[in-house]
Amino acid sequence: MMPTNKRLNFLDQYLTLWIFLAMILGVGIGYFFPSIPVSFSTLSAGTTNIPLAIGLIVMMYPPLTKVDFTKIPVLFAKPKLLLSSLFITWIVGPFLMFFLSITFLQSYPEYMTGLIIIGLAPCIAMVIVWNELAEGNRELTAALVGVNSVLQVLFFSAYAYFYLEVMLPLFGIKGLPISITMSQIATTVGIYLGIPFALAVISRVCIRKFIGEKWFNQTFIPFISPFTLVALLFTIVIMFSLKGEMIVSIPFDVLRIALPLVIFFGIMFFVMFFVSKMLGANYKEAVSLSFSASGNNFELAIAVAIGVFGINSGQAFAGVIGPLVEVPALILLVKVAFWLKKKYFQN
């Protein structure tokens, strides 16, 4: 059983419910007040909707501000675990999501490409929550989040272009309505990841130096943490206000996207867990590595999908389904982690 002293906070515990309610609210606004989404869509500069862009940057800021980059050296003390984590997270993970996407969603090209984008970046926010619930190694998790954050800034653009423009044709999937350039993706990542990344690093360094680490951890972080959920729900409401006519098909589309996601979470968790165990990791290390590998950065996936394909795209819709599925799936994996601890780490 999960320890009684470890539990999700109120907002995280009901994240799936909040997302469902935001979907319903959005559809209701689009159906009963169609002038609202029309008016909202006019607040744009070129292809960028200004309020939505601000919301997406705000969504990325809190999880990046929580990243403690000083913990990164912890990983270099265990080079085998570091290399295995990087290989499974950055090589196996994206290809696995690519394979699941073309297997389950080839008839739905927008959802397929949206899912591929989801698989390109490991989680940097909720992974800390799952690690705490499963009693993993805090320092190791912080180090993994730090490394993965930096790698996302450096390589996400190239990864997205490679899988969408090179791998899809290589696997014989042609004729899809996809035509993107590296500069398009790089610009989007620069805006929605680069800006909040820079702001997060600056605020973390300055606040801790001039106001104090205690105030930063106990006051500032709790204050900004809900911003991610608020911005996510705001994005969902706007998206679904533009999708009122699709309400009949939405439940089936959710299930289509959810199935490969659940399979991905399970495979990545178990592969990383048993590889790390084989390399001599203890339970705390194994579970930290496993949750770091199995979760995804849905905030970035949603931002990139909207920035490249548009707010009304199937790619953006697939990104929204990510956290809807992730929360119950990874709560279940937390329970699985304790079962594995009892079975393989009795001592």
Side-chain angles (χ1 to χ4, degrees):
M1 294 179 60
M2 289 175 54
T4 55
N5 62 318
K6 297 283 185 177
R7 56 179 299 176
L8 288 166
N9 63 43
F10 180 75
L11 292 177
D12 291 334
Q13 185 176 3
Y14 296 102
L15 178 58
T16 299
L17 174 62
W18 308 143
I19 294 174
F20 267 123
L21 292 177
M23 290 177 176
I24 295 170
L25 177 61
V27 171
I29 291 174
Y31 185 81
F32 294 106
F33 308 99
S35 61
I36 294 179
V38 172
S39 300
F40 184 85
S41 63
T42 63
L43 302 173
S44 300
T47 58
T48 302
N49 183 276
I50 296 173
L52 190 62
I54 294 172
L56 292 170
I57 291 172
V58 170
M59 182 169 63
M60 290 296 300
Y61 173 72
L64 288 168
T65 306
K66 296 175 185 178
V67 177
D68 186 356
F69 295 99
T70 63
K71 300 294 184 181
I72 290 178
V74 170
L75 279 172
F76 295 98
K78 296 180 180 288
K80 289 183 179 180
L81 293 182
L82 171 60
L83 292 175
S84 66
S85 176
L86 292 177
F87 179 77
I88 291 174
T89 301
W90 286 96
I91 304 298
V92 175
F95 183 79
L96 174 61
M97 189 69 91
F98 174 85
F99 177 76
L100 292 171
S101 300
I102 64 175
T103 300
F104 288 95
L105 295 171
Q106 191 167 337
S107 299
Y108 303 87
E110 290 193 354
Y111 296 159
M112 179 184 68
T113 53
L115 214 63
I116 291 172
I117 293 172
I118 289 174
L120 300 179
C123 183
I124 61 172
M126 288 298 289
V127 62
I128 298 172
V129 176
W130 309 130
N131 180 71
E132 285 296 301
L133 291 175
E135 299 182 343
N137 186 308
R138 290 181 180 178
E139 288 195 344
L140 182 59
T141 298
L144 289 167
V145 168
V147 169
N148 288 332
S149 300
V150 174
L151 292 178
Q152 285 174 34
V153 174
L154 297 176
F155 299 118
F156 188 90
S157 302
Y159 254 47
Y161 183 84
F162 174 73
Y163 273 98
L164 296 180
E165 293 291 332
V166 178
M167 287 291 284
L168 283 176
L170 191 64
F171 274 71
I173 302 175
K174 300 177 181 179
L176 299 179
I178 303 172
S179 180
I180 57 177
T181 64
M182 180 78 79
S183 62
Q184 278 181 287
I185 303 173
T187 300
T188 302
V189 173
I191 293 172
Y192 298 119
L193 180 59
I195 292 176
F197 183 89
L199 291 175
V201 172
I202 292 170
S203 58
R204 184 178 182 89
V205 171
C206 293
I207 291 174
R208 294 174 74 192
K209 180 178 180 179
F210 295 108
I211 301 180
E213 186 168 352
K214 182 178 179 180
W215 188 87
F216 176 82
N217 290 325
Q218 297 182 6
T219 304
F220 184 70
I221 290 298
F223 173 73
I224 65 170
S225 291
F227 290 4
T228 295
L229 176 59
V230 172
L232 173 62
L233 297 180
F234 170 72
T235 303
I236 293 171
V237 169
I238 297 303
M239 284 178 58
F240 277 79
S241 71
L242 299 170
K243 289 181 176 288
E245 75 283 358
M246 296 176 57
I247 187 170
V248 175
S249 64
I250 284 174
F252 299 101
D253 289 350
V254 170
L255 294 176
R256 289 188 184 101
I257 297 168
L259 179 58
L261 278 172
V262 170
I263 295 173
F264 175 85
F265 295 144
I267 291 177
M268 290 295 290
F269 179 87
F270 284 105
V271 168
M272 189 71 255
F273 188 92
F274 286 109
V275 167
S276 57
K277 181 180 182 300
M278 184 178 64
L279 293 175
N282 57 37
Y283 169 77
K284 288 181 175 292
E285 293 168 340
V287 82
S288 295
L289 291 164
S290 299
F291 281 112
S292 296
S294 55
N296 291 103
N297 188 346
F298 292 105
E299 296 91 346
L300 178 58
I302 293 169
V304 169
I306 291 175
V308 176
F309 298 102
I311 189 174
N312 208 24
S313 65
Q315 289 87 348
F317 179 78
V320 167
I321 302 306
L324 182 72
V325 178
E326 183 189 45
V327 173
L330 268 70
I331 286 176
L332 178 60
L333 285 176
V334 169
K335 296 182 179 181
V336 170
F338 283 111
W339 179 81
L340 291 170
K341 178 182 181 181
K342 184 177 180 180
K343 185 175 178 63
Y344 294 105
F345 294 94
Q346 293 185 14
N347 296 323

